[in-house]
Amino acid sequence: MLSIKNLKARVEEKEILKGLNLEVKPGEVHAIMGPNGSGKSTLANVLAGREDYEVTEGEVLFMGKNLLELEPEERAGEGVFLAFQYPVEIPGVTTANFLKTAVNAVRQYRGLDPLDAVQFLKLLKEKMKLVEMDSSLVNRSLNEGFSGGEKKRNEILQMAMLEPKLAILDETDSGLDIDALRIVAEGVNKLRSKDNAFIVVTHYQRLLNYIEPDYVHVLYKGRIVKSGTKELALELEERGYDWIKEEVDANASF
Amino acid sequence: MTTQITPKLISRQLSERYQQLAAGMPATAGFREAAFQKLLQQEVPSTRHEEWKYTNIRSVWKKLGESAGETTAAPSPHWQGDALKVRLAGGQVVEPAEVETANYIVCSLKKAFEKHQDKLQAYFAKHTHLQDDYFVLLNNALWSDGLFVWVKRGQTLPQTLAVFFEEGQSTLENTRHLFLLEEGAQLECAYFFTGDSPIHSLHNCITEAYLAKDASMKHYIAEAEAFHHSRVLRTFADVEQNANYYNVTFVLGGHVARHDLCAALKGTHAEAHFYGLTYLRGNAHTDHHTVVDHIAPKTQSNELYKGVYDGQSAGVFNGKIYVRPDAQQTNAFQSNRTILLTPEASINTKPQLEIWADDVKCSHGATIGQLDEDALFYLRARGIPKAQAKALLLQAFAGEVLDYVGNDSLKEYLLARLQERFS
Ligand SMILES: Nc1ncnc2c1ncn2[C@@H]1O[C@H](COP(=O)(O)OP(=O)(O)OP(=O)(O)O)[C@@H](O)[C@H]1O
Ligand SMILES: [Mg+2]
């Protein structure tokens, strides 16, 4: 589904991704962990098509297509979804209006008829139930004045509405209370199928108790330096990153 | 090479015109004569003139009458809302919705000078801020027609008054309008400027509105015409105790538009509300000069002007707020917010506050920025194509001003005009 080979990217002359490799197959859940500033959000944003990041080397294939050639909206149409670490507040655009515009834009891209108001509301209600989101939120300006947790839940709602093939969740668990964490995780689990995949960026093992990953990767200094199964996350929780950093930094000095 | 526009250069054409007008409306002859004599001593202001620093009205003047070539902009459809309609073309009231009841009068100003002298005498050209500058004198001497509106004490004009100005039929049009609202009277009025004639033209339009105690006037202005019509639009409101003058202005087209909007708050609790939305493309230019003069205590003013500038278009905002020594416990707010869509677009913004009272709440602010890139990316990442995402953001930006339009049908009409332009 997703194949990243030797990906290098920089922002403002600073190289952040330094030759990253990752293979994701349909049905899989990959967790990406790693110290602050190691490049996790950068990877997520590069995959979503943010223009501030310049890809200098490598390739990214998504369902056999060169993802890096596509506009952000085309990537969304193809089925890439990024749940932002910091969702943007957009005053003056209601969440409902935004969702309808987004859903119909994606449907158009996928060659489907647009949803009319009734169909849309039905879908919205169904998905809002999935993330147990309060209906008053969708009539407010997008993310404006939403609490941290409400913003994250709104990201999952959008994911549920847009039915992506590959969802990248960038620290969706941070800022969530214990109940919200469970709700969001359950929402994700309900959307899991043999045809879609998830990349879950997180700092905490806790989320992975709910969303069981098939693989856990450690991203450090712009590369995936260690991969393993879910036990790796437990080990990281216990030991921190120092042992990995030491390993990597020792190798780098050769 | 610069050609000086001397008064002599214009006087031959204009003096004939002025003589005709004076002869046709004897009641105005003396007034016109005095103005014309002063006009002969003045020149069209250049950008050296402090009040015209960023708006080159002289270059507009020089082009008057020239062919503008093909007119490409399709004219906007007219607003079809429920209204009392008046149409002006070539500076004349051509479709007079002449109504006269015991409670209100709407007629042409020309006619009012014959029939309603008693009512207008004390007000016509009497606004304190109506100063003898070039365009005021030009209008005083040469106004051809306009509207006279009177609403009796405690009465309300039953329908919105919709005034359609079809511009460009003459090179230079001078129209004049007078609104008299007696105590507690209310009216809603909308000006629409349209026109697609293929010559460069200028419309010099002066409105005076006198709002007696407790009166209220909602004044909407919509400009969406071809790219070679220019306009000097001046509106002077006189606001007595508890009265409320409310203006929402949309500039969505045209070549050069200069707006002077002024309210004198003369009685306690008088209010002025000025809202503006400007969206320009090409090399269009809009200049908003506002004046709120807080004369009486406990007066209030609120100004919000938003602008989106595309292409090489340019905006000017100059907001003067005076708080006179007696105007204690005054509230005055002013804000000017701009989005520049291209590096070539520009805005000059300047608040000018002069405060002589000590117990006042005044605030002003200006922001200038580009379209929010993070917001744009967020929308695109959800599958919304770039152009549509941009339109959505611009519409959200404009929505705040649009929300001040209290007339739903008019609001819908304006929203449609905005959507046409944003997409
Ligand atoms: N737009 C930018 N301009 C400058 N530097 C940037 C920009 N975006 C990211 N960086 C830098 O790139 C590095 C990687 O940032 P990134 O956000 O990808 O880290 P992260 O792994 O997601 O960290 P965290 O766990 O704290 O979210 C950091 O040093 C960051 O400061
Ligand atoms: Mg991050």
Side-chain angles (χ1 to χ4, degrees):
Chain A
M1 172 179 274
L2 179 74
S3 164
I4 303 174
K5 290 210 174 79
N6 190 32
L7 182 63
K8 295 187 182 175
R10 63 181 182 190
V11 56
E12 288 167 9
E13 305 303 307
K14 182 180 166 200
E15 184 159 69
I16 297 168
L17 299 183
K18 301 172 180 170
L20 187 141
N21 298 292
L22 184 67
E23 291 284 333
V24 178
K25 296 198 179 60
E28 292 178 348
V29 174
H30 290 244
I32 296 185
M33 306 183 80
N36 293 132
S38 57
K40 302 181 297 296
S41 293
T42 302
L43 172 65
N45 278 290
V46 166
L47 293 177
R50 196 179 192 100
E51 280 152 3
D52 309 351
Y53 299 92
E54 188 196 347
V55 174
T56 52
E57 233 183 286
E59 67 166 23
V60 179
L61 294 179
F62 177 69
M63 311 292 289
K65 281 191 184 151
N66 181 354
L67 194 68
L68 300 177
E69 271 179 357
L70 302 179
E71 298 292 332
E73 55 269 32
E74 293 172 325
R75 300 182 194 201
E78 293 290 337
V80 175
F81 180 90
L82 167 62
F84 285 76
Q85 182 173 2
Y86 304 109
V88 183
E89 299 194 5
I90 307 188
V93 178
T94 64
T95 305
N97 178 27
F98 156 73
L99 282 171
K100 183 155 189 238
T101 311
V103 165
N104 282 336
V106 162
R107 287 181 68 88
Q108 186 177 5
Y109 186 90
R110 294 173 189 167
L112 302 168
D113 287 335
L115 298 183
D116 64 27
V118 177
Q119 294 166 317
F120 170 75
L121 275 178
K122 189 166 167 272
L123 181 72
L124 180 60
K125 273 201 186 129
E126 180 190 316
K127 302 298 186 189
M128 275 170 55
K129 222 159 97 191
L130 189 78
V131 293
E132 295 180 25
M133 188 149 127
D134 194 78
S135 62
S136 69
L137 284 182
V138 296
N139 295 319
R140 282 170 45 187
S141 282
L142 183 55
N143 291 328
E144 195 187 26
F146 283 27
S147 74
E150 286 167 345
K151 284 181 185 168
K152 295 301 175 77
R153 244 189 246 208
N154 193 14
E155 294 294 291
I156 300 303
L157 173 67
Q158 291 167 38
M159 178 179 81
M161 295 290 287
L162 296 175
E163 299 177 341
K165 294 196 182 90
L166 172 69
I168 305 153
L169 311 185
D170 191 359
E171 293 196 28
T172 302
D173 53 339
S174 63
L176 291 181
D177 66 41
I178 297 157
D179 291 335
L181 181 72
R182 184 184 40 79
I183 292 161
V184 162
E186 277 171 10
V188 169
N189 284 334
K190 280 184 201 143
L191 297 168
R192 275 175 87 162
S193 80
K194 63 177 185 6
D195 301 318
N196 59 22
F198 291 84
I199 296 176
V200 181
V201 175
T202 183
H203 285 296
Y204 307 107
Q205 151 65 23
R206 201 176 56 192
L207 178 71
L208 304 179
N209 287 337
Y210 293 108
I211 306 173
E212 273 200 27
D214 299 294
Y215 300 95
V216 174
H217 310 277
V218 177
L219 207 162
Y220 177 55
K221 289 190 174 168
R223 283 194 198 96
I224 286 180
V225 294
K226 198 163 200 75
S227 297
T229 54
K230 61 178 193 246
E231 282 71 30
L232 176 58
L234 287 169
E235 192 175 359
L236 290 171
E237 180 92 351
E238 213 167 282
R239 299 176 62 190
Y241 290 113
D242 282 352
W243 60 286
I244 294 183
K245 287 182 186 171
E246 274 162 26
E247 255 178 52
V248 174
D249 295 340
N251 281 335
S253 59
F254 273 81
Chain B
M1 187 202 75
T2 52
T3 350
Q4 275 266 307
I5 301 179
T6 65
K8 289 246 150 42
L9 219 101
I10 57 156
S11 70
R12 190 169 309 149
Q13 246 183 352
L14 293 188
S15 71
E16 272 173 31
R17 182 93 185 98
Y18 137 73
Q19 275 157 12
Q20 278 171 11
L21 287 163
M25 285 182 261
T28 64
F31 174 72
R32 290 178 191 275
E33 163 73 22
F36 197 75
Q37 290 312 321
K38 284 188 193 161
L39 184 66
L40 291 176
Q41 311 305 316
Q42 291 209 10
E43 289 183 347
V44 174
S46 74
T47 50
R48 282 194 303 272
H49 192 298
E50 184 58 30
E51 290 296 309
W52 293 89
K53 212 164 162 180
Y54 301 108
T55 298
N56 193 341
I57 200 69
R58 238 183 221 206
S59 74
V60 171
W61 189 266
K62 282 184 201 172
K63 277 193 152 171
L64 294 181
E66 278 179 24
S67 163
E70 298 259 313
T71 59
T72 46
S76 298
H78 279 189
W79 177 56
Q80 299 294 349
D82 172 43
L84 193 62
K85 292 188 172 108
V86 181
R87 199 158 63 88
L88 281 93
Q92 303 293 330
V93 177
V94 292
E95 194 186 299
E98 204 186 317
V99 216
E100 191 177 333
T101 72
N103 295 336
Y104 54 90
I105 299 169
V106 176
C107 73
S108 94
L109 188 60
K110 216 161 37 178
K111 184 148 288 168
F113 264 92
E114 292 160 14
K115 286 176 71 182
H116 306 295
Q117 276 257 19
D118 55 321
K119 288 200 167 60
L120 64 78
Q121 199 97 58
Y123 298 102
F124 180 79
K126 296 291 194 302
H127 196 280
T128 32
H129 288 267
L130 201 64
Q131 283 157 6
D132 281 354
D133 84 340
Y134 190 86
F135 288 96
V136 169
L137 292 170
L138 187 69
N139 194 290
N140 286 350
L142 282 143
W143 66 270
S144 50
D145 204 355
L147 278 184
F148 174 72
V149 180
W150 168 82
V151 185
K152 195 183 167 176
R153 159 199 278 256
Q155 298 299 319
T156 301
L157 199 67
Q159 278 174 298
T160 303
L161 178 66
V163 188
F164 296 92
F165 294 93
E166 278 168 35
E167 297 178 328
Q169 295 188 7
S170 337
T171 308
L172 175 66
E173 290 164 13
N174 292 280
T175 66
R176 188 74 175 231
H177 316 278
L178 182 62
F179 290 78
L180 304 180
L181 281 76
E182 290 191 352
E183 201 177 308
Q186 296 189 21
L187 80 81
E188 178 170 286
C189 169
Y191 282 9
F192 299 91
F193 295 91
T194 60
D196 56 355
S197 107
I199 55 160
H200 284 277
S201 69
L202 179 69
H203 180 189
N204 179 23
C205 175
I206 293 182
T207 301
E208 289 173 83
Y210 294 89
L211 282 68
K213 185 169 173 273
D214 297 326
S216 115
M217 174 166 174
K218 287 210 159 135
H219 196 180
Y220 301 116
I221 293 173
E223 306 181 18
E225 67 297 305
F227 282 121
H228 43 271
H229 295 294
S230 295
R231 180 170 319 96
V232 177
L233 179 67
R234 289 180 162 174
T235 310
F236 300 92
D238 207 65
V239 192
E240 293 291 352
Q241 187 183 335
N242 271 327
N244 187 334
Y245 175 79
Y246 188 105
N247 180 300
V248 193
T249 297
F250 291 80
V251 186
L252 309 174
H255 178 212
V256 174
R258 165 63 181 248
H259 286 203
D260 290 293
L261 178 57
C262 167
L265 304 179
K266 295 167 91 172
T268 50
H269 296 290
E271 289 182 27
H273 298 263
F274 295 175
Y275 306 106
L277 180 73
T278 304
Y279 173 63
L280 299 183
R281 292 174 287 191
N283 46 26
H285 179 106
T286 291
D287 180 343
H288 285 289
H289 267 61
T290 65
V291 177
V292 181
D293 194 354
H294 292 265
I295 298 164
K298 298 182 179 159
T299 47
Q300 243 196 74
S301 66
N302 196 4
E303 290 179 75
L304 172 65
Y305 282 82
K306 291 181 122 179
V308 178
Y309 300 88
D310 205 344
Q312 295 101 312
S313 66
V316 180
F317 176 78
N318 182 290
K320 294 189 179 73
I321 295 176
Y322 304 125
V323 182
R324 306 284 174 186
D326 286 342
Q328 297 294 358
Q329 291 172 284
T330 279
N331 287 333
F333 303 106
Q334 181 190 88
S335 159
N336 178 225
R337 296 180 56 197
T338 302
I339 290 179
L340 301 175
L341 291 177
T342 68
E344 292 77 32
S346 68
I347 175 82
N348 265 292
T349 177
K350 184 180 173 193
Q352 255 177 286
L353 276 61
E354 293 181 31
I355 300 172
W356 293 282
D358 46 26
D359 180 16
V360 298
K361 266 193 215 143
C362 261
S363 77
H364 64 88
T367 60
I368 303 169
Q370 280 91 41
L371 209 58
D372 182 347
E373 286 297 326
D374 288 337
L376 194 61
F377 177 64
Y378 190 77
L379 297 177
R380 294 179 72 193
R382 295 298 177 251
I384 302 171
K386 191 174 183 180
Q388 200 184 349
K390 250 174 142 167
L392 205 60
L393 291 177
L394 290 177
Q395 205 179 301
F397 180 76
E400 196 185 351
V401 175
L402 203 62
D403 284 343
Y404 285 110
V405 177
N407 180 314
D408 287 342
S409 150
L410 182 60
K411 184 173 167 180
E412 213 170 280
Y413 168 84
L414 290 165
L415 176 63
R417 303 287 77 73
L418 281 172
Q419 282 171 337
E420 279 164 17
R421 284 165 174 77
F422 288 159
S423 55

